[in-house]
Amino acid sequence: MPSVAYWLSLTAIAVANGLAALWVFARFSDQKRIEIAKRKLRAHLYAFRLFAEEPALILRAQKQLLIWNGRYLALVLVPAIIIGIPTFVLLIQMDAVYGRRPLAPAESAMVTARFDTAADLRLISPTLEGRGVQVETPPVRMASEHQVSWRIRAASDASGSLLLRDPTISASKTVQVGLGLRYLSVRRVASVLEWLRYPGEARLPAGDVQWIEVSYPDAERHWLLWFSIVCLITMLVFRTRFT
């Protein structure tokens, strides 16, 4: 079960993100025009009730509702992009801390290496060596997916590493073991673009291996829901201070 520190730190980040979102919307949006658009939207919605027996007026209200809805979305688009992009990056990195946990001593996990499509897994014999980690199984090849998997087990309460060898590459991969919050490098990659998603370790050297991944256990499946709720509550509580 996640610790108190887990929930406190997650809550603090969510509050900070909510306040940052409020500041961005206050700084980079036209609040007066947004308020006018909101009033127009409410007015045309009320028209549906007031003129329920007047089809022509209802159609006119629908047209105006679509127009003002488009204007409202255009007004909030810029601040939404400004806060949305860094928030997306933040959530990806937070998943490495709050979505997964390190292995417990004697706990097992799967390690998978993906090879280049040009590599013929029938002709190569990749090996995996553990340093502070036991490699329990021989390699299992999944030729259709160009992947090779092993099962490993944490040998102690200290973190270790793995060394993958094949004819074109010799590359290591960290394995985190123990308690507490940690940034887990789930996957070590060779591609520059993928490294932006998994920056926890240096890129793999050039060779047939595209990535090496450790299947760490889930820490808390609902961390993103908690983050979203706290962020939303923060924005509702402090919204008047940023208008």
Side-chain angles (χ1 to χ4, degrees):
M1 179 178 292
S3 64
V4 174
Y6 176 100
W7 292 111
L8 287 178
S9 59
L10 179 59
T11 301
I13 295 173
V15 170
N17 189 77
L19 294 174
L22 287 172
W23 182 85
V24 167
F25 272 89
R27 176 66 177 80
F28 296 98
S29 65
D30 189 331
Q31 293 296 313
K32 291 182 178 180
R33 293 178 65 188
I34 288 177
E35 186 59 35
I36 291 173
K38 287 180 179 179
R39 289 201 299 266
K40 292 291 186 179
L41 287 172
R42 287 194 292 266
H44 293 302
L45 285 174
Y46 291 149
F48 283 89
R49 298 177 59 185
L50 294 175
F51 306 109
E53 304 298 328
E54 300 288 342
L57 294 178
I58 291 295
L59 289 175
R60 181 180 177 183
Q62 288 178 334
K63 177 182 177 181
Q64 291 298 315
L65 186 64
L66 290 173
I67 291 173
W68 281 102
N69 190 55
R71 291 177 180 176
Y72 175 78
L73 292 177
L75 289 170
V76 300
L77 180 61
V78 171
I81 292 175
I82 293 174
I83 192 62
I85 292 176
T87 298
F88 177 74
V89 175
L90 174 66
L91 292 176
I92 289 176
Q93 300 308 313
M94 287 178 65
D95 186 60
V97 179
Y98 297 99
R100 308 274 183 169
R101 64 168 177 79
L103 298 178
E107 187 174 17
S108 62
M110 296 299 297
V111 174
T112 301
R114 179 177 174 83
F115 289 78
D116 189 84
T117 54
D120 191 343
L121 295 183
R122 298 171 298 178
L123 302 178
I124 62 176
S125 300
T127 62
L128 191 68
E129 303 172 11
R131 299 172 179 176
V133 179
Q134 295 177 354
V135 180
E136 296 188 319
T137 64
V140 177
R141 293 171 172 81
M142 295 167 281
S144 62
E145 299 181 8
H146 305 283
Q147 296 179 5
V148 180
S149 295
W150 296 262
R151 188 178 68 200
I152 64 169
R153 186 175 298 275
S156 66
D157 59 356
S159 297
S161 63
L162 299 165
L163 183 63
L164 175 67
R165 299 182 189 272
D166 86 329
T168 67
I169 193 174
S170 176
S172 63
K173 175 74 185 76
T174 59
V175 179
Q176 296 288 335
V177 181
L179 302 174
L181 286 175
R182 303 186 192 185
Y183 184 94
L184 298 180
S185 174
V186 175
R187 181 181 293 186
R188 186 180 179 190
V189 301
S191 164
V192 174
L193 291 177
E194 282 198 274
W195 182 80
L196 297 176
R197 168 70 175 83
Y198 301 99
E201 295 179 81
R203 291 167 52 210
L204 290 169
D208 287 339
V209 181
Q210 295 182 346
W211 49 259
I212 309 170
E213 180 180 275
V214 178
S215 60
Y216 289 105
D218 290 336
E220 171 55 54
R221 293 181 181 273
H222 304 299
W223 74 268
L224 183 56
L225 177 61
W226 176 258
F227 176 89
S228 302
I229 291 174
V230 173
C231 187
L232 178 59
I233 291 175
T234 300
M235 295 176 69
L236 291 174
V237 171
F238 293 99
R239 70 184 186 279
T240 57
R241 300 193 179 187
F242 288 85
T243 57

PDB file of all heavy atoms in Angstrom, residues 10-35:
ATOM      1  N   LEU A  10       1.917  13.592  -3.887  1.00  0.00           N
ATOM      2  CA  LEU A  10       1.029  13.607  -5.040  1.00  0.00           C
ATOM      3  C   LEU A  10       0.015  14.734  -4.924  1.00  0.00           C
ATOM      4  O   LEU A  10      -0.274  15.449  -5.902  1.00  0.00           O
ATOM      5  CB  LEU A  10       0.317  12.258  -5.163  1.00  0.00           C
ATOM      6  CG  LEU A  10      -0.678  12.097  -6.314  1.00  0.00           C
ATOM      7  CD1 LEU A  10       0.008  12.322  -7.656  1.00  0.00           C
ATOM      8  CD2 LEU A  10      -1.325  10.713  -6.273  1.00  0.00           C
ATOM      9  N   THR A  11      -0.532  14.930  -3.730  1.00  0.00           N
ATOM     10  CA  THR A  11      -1.497  16.011  -3.497  1.00  0.00           C
ATOM     11  C   THR A  11      -0.850  17.375  -3.694  1.00  0.00           C
ATOM     12  O   THR A  11      -1.449  18.276  -4.302  1.00  0.00           O
ATOM     13  CB  THR A  11      -2.079  15.899  -2.084  1.00  0.00           C
ATOM     14  OG1 THR A  11      -2.725  14.621  -1.924  1.00  0.00           O
ATOM     15  CG2 THR A  11      -3.077  17.010  -1.811  1.00  0.00           C
ATOM     16  N   ALA A  12       0.378  17.548  -3.191  1.00  0.00           N
ATOM     17  CA  ALA A  12       1.072  18.830  -3.324  1.00  0.00           C
ATOM     18  C   ALA A  12       1.312  19.180  -4.792  1.00  0.00           C
ATOM     19  O   ALA A  12       1.138  20.331  -5.212  1.00  0.00           O
ATOM     20  CB  ALA A  12       2.396  18.783  -2.570  1.00  0.00           C
ATOM     21  N   ILE A  13       1.697  18.196  -5.583  1.00  0.00           N
ATOM     22  CA  ILE A  13       1.932  18.446  -7.013  1.00  0.00           C
ATOM     23  C   ILE A  13       0.623  18.796  -7.710  1.00  0.00           C
ATOM     24  O   ILE A  13       0.578  19.682  -8.575  1.00  0.00           O
ATOM     25  CB  ILE A  13       2.584  17.216  -7.665  1.00  0.00           C
ATOM     26  CG1 ILE A  13       3.977  16.984  -7.069  1.00  0.00           C
ATOM     27  CG2 ILE A  13       2.694  17.407  -9.173  1.00  0.00           C
ATOM     28  CD1 ILE A  13       4.626  15.702  -7.529  1.00  0.00           C
ATOM     29  N   ALA A  14      -0.464  18.115  -7.336  1.00  0.00           N
ATOM     30  CA  ALA A  14      -1.764  18.395  -7.942  1.00  0.00           C
ATOM     31  C   ALA A  14      -2.229  19.808  -7.612  1.00  0.00           C
ATOM     32  O   ALA A  14      -2.758  20.521  -8.477  1.00  0.00           O
ATOM     33  CB  ALA A  14      -2.788  17.368  -7.468  1.00  0.00           C
ATOM     34  N   VAL A  15      -2.038  20.247  -6.365  1.00  0.00           N
ATOM     35  CA  VAL A  15      -2.410  21.610  -5.971  1.00  0.00           C
ATOM     36  C   VAL A  15      -1.593  22.626  -6.753  1.00  0.00           C
ATOM     37  O   VAL A  15      -2.128  23.619  -7.274  1.00  0.00           O
ATOM     38  CB  VAL A  15      -2.211  21.796  -4.450  1.00  0.00           C
ATOM     39  CG1 VAL A  15      -2.359  23.276  -4.075  1.00  0.00           C
ATOM     40  CG2 VAL A  15      -3.219  20.957  -3.674  1.00  0.00           C
ATOM     41  N   ALA A  16      -0.287  22.384  -6.858  1.00  0.00           N
ATOM     42  CA  ALA A  16       0.580  23.295  -7.606  1.00  0.00           C
ATOM     43  C   ALA A  16       0.172  23.366  -9.077  1.00  0.00           C
ATOM     44  O   ALA A  16       0.163  24.445  -9.681  1.00  0.00           O
ATOM     45  CB  ALA A  16       2.037  22.848  -7.481  1.00  0.00           C
ATOM     46  N   ASN A  17      -0.198  22.237  -9.651  1.00  0.00           N
ATOM     47  CA  ASN A  17      -0.622  22.226 -11.044  1.00  0.00           C
ATOM     48  C   ASN A  17      -1.936  22.981 -11.227  1.00  0.00           C
ATOM     49  O   ASN A  17      -2.116  23.710 -12.211  1.00  0.00           O
ATOM     50  CB  ASN A  17      -0.774  20.789 -11.528  1.00  0.00           C
ATOM     51  CG  ASN A  17      -0.992  20.691 -13.020  1.00  0.00           C
ATOM     52  OD1 ASN A  17      -0.074  20.817 -13.815  1.00  0.00           O
ATOM     53  ND2 ASN A  17      -2.237  20.457 -13.417  1.00  0.00           N
ATOM     54  N   GLY A  18      -2.864  22.827 -10.272  1.00  0.00           N
ATOM     55  CA  GLY A  18      -4.124  23.562 -10.341  1.00  0.00           C
ATOM     56  C   GLY A  18      -3.914  25.061 -10.260  1.00  0.00           C
ATOM     57  O   GLY A  18      -4.530  25.829 -11.015  1.00  0.00           O
ATOM     58  N   LEU A  19      -3.029  25.510  -9.365  1.00  0.00           N
ATOM     59  CA  LEU A  19      -2.741  26.938  -9.244  1.00  0.00           C
ATOM     60  C   LEU A  19      -2.056  27.461 -10.503  1.00  0.00           C
ATOM     61  O   LEU A  19      -2.339  28.579 -10.959  1.00  0.00           O
ATOM     62  CB  LEU A  19      -1.861  27.188  -8.012  1.00  0.00           C
ATOM     63  CG  LEU A  19      -2.511  26.897  -6.659  1.00  0.00           C
ATOM     64  CD1 LEU A  19      -1.494  27.054  -5.538  1.00  0.00           C
ATOM     65  CD2 LEU A  19      -3.721  27.803  -6.426  1.00  0.00           C
ATOM     66  N   ALA A  20      -1.154  26.645 -11.067  1.00  0.00           N
ATOM     67  CA  ALA A  20      -0.476  27.055 -12.300  1.00  0.00           C
ATOM     68  C   ALA A  20      -1.475  27.204 -13.449  1.00  0.00           C
ATOM     69  O   ALA A  20      -1.385  28.139 -14.253  1.00  0.00           O
ATOM     70  CB  ALA A  20       0.602  26.032 -12.665  1.00  0.00           C
ATOM     71  N   ALA A  21      -2.443  26.293 -13.514  1.00  0.00           N
ATOM     72  CA  ALA A  21      -3.460  26.375 -14.563  1.00  0.00           C
ATOM     73  C   ALA A  21      -4.296  27.648 -14.418  1.00  0.00           C
ATOM     74  O   ALA A  21      -4.598  28.331 -15.411  1.00  0.00           O
ATOM     75  CB  ALA A  21      -4.359  25.138 -14.514  1.00  0.00           C
ATOM     76  N   LEU A  22      -4.661  27.998 -13.175  1.00  0.00           N
ATOM     77  CA  LEU A  22      -5.429  29.224 -12.946  1.00  0.00           C
ATOM     78  C   LEU A  22      -4.636  30.453 -13.373  1.00  0.00           C
ATOM     79  O   LEU A  22      -5.184  31.376 -13.994  1.00  0.00           O
ATOM     80  CB  LEU A  22      -5.806  29.318 -11.467  1.00  0.00           C
ATOM     81  CG  LEU A  22      -6.899  28.369 -10.977  1.00  0.00           C
ATOM     82  CD1 LEU A  22      -7.024  28.446  -9.467  1.00  0.00           C
ATOM     83  CD2 LEU A  22      -8.237  28.670 -11.638  1.00  0.00           C
ATOM     84  N   TRP A  23      -3.351  30.484 -13.042  1.00  0.00           N
ATOM     85  CA  TRP A  23      -2.514  31.628 -13.402  1.00  0.00           C
ATOM     86  C   TRP A  23      -2.409  31.764 -14.914  1.00  0.00           C
ATOM     87  O   TRP A  23      -2.485  32.874 -15.455  1.00  0.00           O
ATOM     88  CB  TRP A  23      -1.129  31.471 -12.782  1.00  0.00           C
ATOM     89  CG  TRP A  23      -0.236  32.642 -13.090  1.00  0.00           C
ATOM     90  CD1 TRP A  23      -0.152  33.827 -12.418  1.00  0.00           C
ATOM     91  CD2 TRP A  23       0.689  32.739 -14.186  1.00  0.00           C
ATOM     92  NE1 TRP A  23       0.757  34.667 -13.020  1.00  0.00           N
ATOM     93  CE2 TRP A  23       1.298  34.020 -14.110  1.00  0.00           C
ATOM     94  CE3 TRP A  23       1.059  31.880 -15.211  1.00  0.00           C
ATOM     95  CZ2 TRP A  23       2.259  34.447 -15.019  1.00  0.00           C
ATOM     96  CZ3 TRP A  23       2.011  32.304 -16.122  1.00  0.00           C
ATOM     97  CH2 TRP A  23       2.604  33.565 -16.024  1.00  0.00           C
ATOM     98  N   VAL A  24      -2.221  30.650 -15.605  1.00  0.00           N
ATOM     99  CA  VAL A  24      -2.095  30.680 -17.064  1.00  0.00           C
ATOM    100  C   VAL A  24      -3.376  31.202 -17.707  1.00  0.00           C
ATOM    101  O   VAL A  24      -3.338  32.049 -18.608  1.00  0.00           O
ATOM    102  CB  VAL A  24      -1.745  29.278 -17.611  1.00  0.00           C
ATOM    103  CG1 VAL A  24      -1.914  29.230 -19.128  1.00  0.00           C
ATOM    104  CG2 VAL A  24      -0.317  28.906 -17.237  1.00  0.00           C
ATOM    105  N   PHE A  25      -4.530  30.709 -17.237  1.00  0.00           N
ATOM    106  CA  PHE A  25      -5.795  31.166 -17.814  1.00  0.00           C
ATOM    107  C   PHE A  25      -6.033  32.647 -17.520  1.00  0.00           C
ATOM    108  O   PHE A  25      -6.574  33.372 -18.361  1.00  0.00           O
ATOM    109  CB  PHE A  25      -6.954  30.327 -17.294  1.00  0.00           C
ATOM    110  CG  PHE A  25      -7.211  29.098 -18.115  1.00  0.00           C
ATOM    111  CD1 PHE A  25      -6.575  27.902 -17.832  1.00  0.00           C
ATOM    112  CD2 PHE A  25      -8.078  29.143 -19.194  1.00  0.00           C
ATOM    113  CE1 PHE A  25      -6.800  26.772 -18.604  1.00  0.00           C
ATOM    114  CE2 PHE A  25      -8.306  28.021 -19.979  1.00  0.00           C
ATOM    115  CZ  PHE A  25      -7.665  26.831 -19.683  1.00  0.00           C
ATOM    116  N   ALA A  26      -5.617  33.101 -16.332  1.00  0.00           N
ATOM    117  CA  ALA A  26      -5.781  34.509 -15.999  1.00  0.00           C
ATOM    118  C   ALA A  26      -4.830  35.391 -16.805  1.00  0.00           C
ATOM    119  O   ALA A  26      -5.175  36.519 -17.190  1.00  0.00           O
ATOM    120  CB  ALA A  26      -5.559  34.727 -14.508  1.00  0.00           C
ATOM    121  N   ARG A  27      -3.643  34.894 -17.080  1.00  0.00           N
ATOM    122  CA  ARG A  27      -2.609  35.689 -17.755  1.00  0.00           C
ATOM    123  C   ARG A  27      -2.765  35.693 -19.269  1.00  0.00           C
ATOM    124  O   ARG A  27      -2.492  36.700 -19.924  1.00  0.00           O
ATOM    125  CB  ARG A  27      -1.225  35.119 -17.372  1.00  0.00           C
ATOM    126  CG  ARG A  27      -0.043  35.775 -18.065  1.00  0.00           C
ATOM    127  CD  ARG A  27       0.119  37.226 -17.624  1.00  0.00           C
ATOM    128  NE  ARG A  27       1.288  37.825 -18.232  1.00  0.00           N
ATOM    129  CZ  ARG A  27       1.350  38.297 -19.475  1.00  0.00           C
ATOM    130  NH1 ARG A  27       0.268  38.232 -20.243  1.00  0.00           N
ATOM    131  NH2 ARG A  27       2.439  38.838 -19.951  1.00  0.00           N
ATOM    132  N   PHE A  28      -3.210  34.597 -19.841  1.00  0.00           N
ATOM    133  CA  PHE A  28      -3.186  34.460 -21.299  1.00  0.00           C
ATOM    134  C   PHE A  28      -4.582  34.357 -21.928  1.00  0.00           C
ATOM    135  O   PHE A  28      -4.713  33.879 -23.051  1.00  0.00           O
ATOM    136  CB  PHE A  28      -2.359  33.236 -21.700  1.00  0.00           C
ATOM    137  CG  PHE A  28      -0.914  33.344 -21.324  1.00  0.00           C
ATOM    138  CD1 PHE A  28      -0.444  32.751 -20.173  1.00  0.00           C
ATOM    139  CD2 PHE A  28      -0.033  34.058 -22.125  1.00  0.00           C
ATOM    140  CE1 PHE A  28       0.900  32.844 -19.820  1.00  0.00           C
ATOM    141  CE2 PHE A  28       1.308  34.158 -21.782  1.00  0.00           C
ATOM    142  CZ  PHE A  28       1.782  33.560 -20.612  1.00  0.00           C
ATOM    143  N   SER A  29      -5.601  34.760 -21.219  1.00  0.00           N
ATOM    144  CA  SER A  29      -6.946  34.752 -21.803  1.00  0.00           C
ATOM    145  C   SER A  29      -7.632  36.085 -21.535  1.00  0.00           C
ATOM    146  O   SER A  29      -7.291  36.805 -20.591  1.00  0.00           O
ATOM    147  CB  SER A  29      -7.787  33.601 -21.219  1.00  0.00           C
ATOM    148  OG  SER A  29      -8.017  33.799 -19.835  1.00  0.00           O
ATOM    149  N   ASP A  30      -8.623  36.385 -22.378  1.00  0.00           N
ATOM    150  CA  ASP A  30      -9.410  37.611 -22.229  1.00  0.00           C
ATOM    151  C   ASP A  30     -10.634  37.263 -21.387  1.00  0.00           C
ATOM    152  O   ASP A  30     -11.649  36.759 -21.902  1.00  0.00           O
ATOM    153  CB  ASP A  30      -9.817  38.129 -23.609  1.00  0.00           C
ATOM    154  CG  ASP A  30     -10.450  39.511 -23.549  1.00  0.00           C
ATOM    155  OD1 ASP A  30     -11.061  39.844 -22.510  1.00  0.00           O
ATOM    156  OD2 ASP A  30     -10.342  40.252 -24.550  1.00  0.00           O
ATOM    157  N   GLN A  31     -10.554  37.547 -20.104  1.00  0.00           N
ATOM    158  CA  GLN A  31     -11.614  37.157 -19.187  1.00  0.00           C
ATOM    159  C   GLN A  31     -12.936  37.848 -19.479  1.00  0.00           C
ATOM    160  O   GLN A  31     -14.013  37.257 -19.307  1.00  0.00           O
ATOM    161  CB  GLN A  31     -11.177  37.436 -17.743  1.00  0.00           C
ATOM    162  CG  GLN A  31     -10.024  36.581 -17.255  1.00  0.00           C
ATOM    163  CD  GLN A  31     -10.392  35.113 -17.207  1.00  0.00           C
ATOM    164  OE1 GLN A  31     -11.459  34.744 -16.700  1.00  0.00           O
ATOM    165  NE2 GLN A  31      -9.530  34.250 -17.743  1.00  0.00           N
ATOM    166  N   LYS A  32     -12.888  39.090 -19.941  1.00  0.00           N
ATOM    167  CA  LYS A  32     -14.130  39.802 -20.235  1.00  0.00           C
ATOM    168  C   LYS A  32     -14.866  39.152 -21.405  1.00  0.00           C
ATOM    169  O   LYS A  32     -16.087  38.946 -21.369  1.00  0.00           O
ATOM    170  CB  LYS A  32     -13.839  41.274 -20.545  1.00  0.00           C
ATOM    171  CG  LYS A  32     -13.358  42.067 -19.332  1.00  0.00           C
ATOM    172  CD  LYS A  32     -13.143  43.527 -19.690  1.00  0.00           C
ATOM    173  CE  LYS A  32     -12.710  44.309 -18.457  1.00  0.00           C
ATOM    174  NZ  LYS A  32     -12.476  45.758 -18.769  1.00  0.00           N
ATOM    175  N   ARG A  33     -14.129  38.833 -22.461  1.00  0.00           N
ATOM    176  CA  ARG A  33     -14.751  38.194 -23.624  1.00  0.00           C
ATOM    177  C   ARG A  33     -15.232  36.789 -23.286  1.00  0.00           C
ATOM    178  O   ARG A  33     -16.265  36.341 -23.791  1.00  0.00           O
ATOM    179  CB  ARG A  33     -13.766  38.163 -24.786  1.00  0.00           C
ATOM    180  CG  ARG A  33     -13.428  39.547 -25.331  1.00  0.00           C
ATOM    181  CD  ARG A  33     -12.411  39.471 -26.448  1.00  0.00           C
ATOM    182  NE  ARG A  33     -12.954  38.760 -27.609  1.00  0.00           N
ATOM    183  CZ  ARG A  33     -12.225  38.423 -28.664  1.00  0.00           C
ATOM    184  NH1 ARG A  33     -10.915  38.693 -28.679  1.00  0.00           N
ATOM    185  NH2 ARG A  33     -12.788  37.811 -29.683  1.00  0.00           N
ATOM    186  N   ILE A  34     -14.501  36.095 -22.424  1.00  0.00           N
ATOM    187  CA  ILE A  34     -14.937  34.766 -22.001  1.00  0.00           C
ATOM    188  C   ILE A  34     -16.235  34.854 -21.218  1.00  0.00           C
ATOM    189  O   ILE A  34     -17.153  34.036 -21.400  1.00  0.00           O
ATOM    190  CB  ILE A  34     -13.837  34.080 -21.167  1.00  0.00           C
ATOM    191  CG1 ILE A  34     -12.668  33.667 -22.071  1.00  0.00           C
ATOM    192  CG2 ILE A  34     -14.383  32.861 -20.434  1.00  0.00           C
ATOM    193  CD1 ILE A  34     -11.509  33.048 -21.330  1.00  0.00           C
ATOM    194  N   GLU A  35     -16.348  35.858 -20.354  1.00  0.00           N
ATOM    195  CA  GLU A  35     -17.570  36.015 -19.566  1.00  0.00           C
ATOM    196  C   GLU A  35     -18.754  36.356 -20.465  1.00  0.00           C
ATOM    197  O   GLU A  35     -19.877  35.866 -20.250  1.00  0.00           O
ATOM    198  CB  GLU A  35     -17.368  37.109 -18.523  1.00  0.00           C
ATOM    199  CG  GLU A  35     -18.541  37.260 -17.554  1.00  0.00           C
ATOM    200  CD  GLU A  35     -18.832  35.983 -16.793  1.00  0.00           C
ATOM    201  OE1 GLU A  35     -17.891  35.243 -16.475  1.00  0.00           O
ATOM    202  OE2 GLU A  35     -20.042  35.724 -16.530  1.00  0.00           O
TER     203      GLU A  35
END
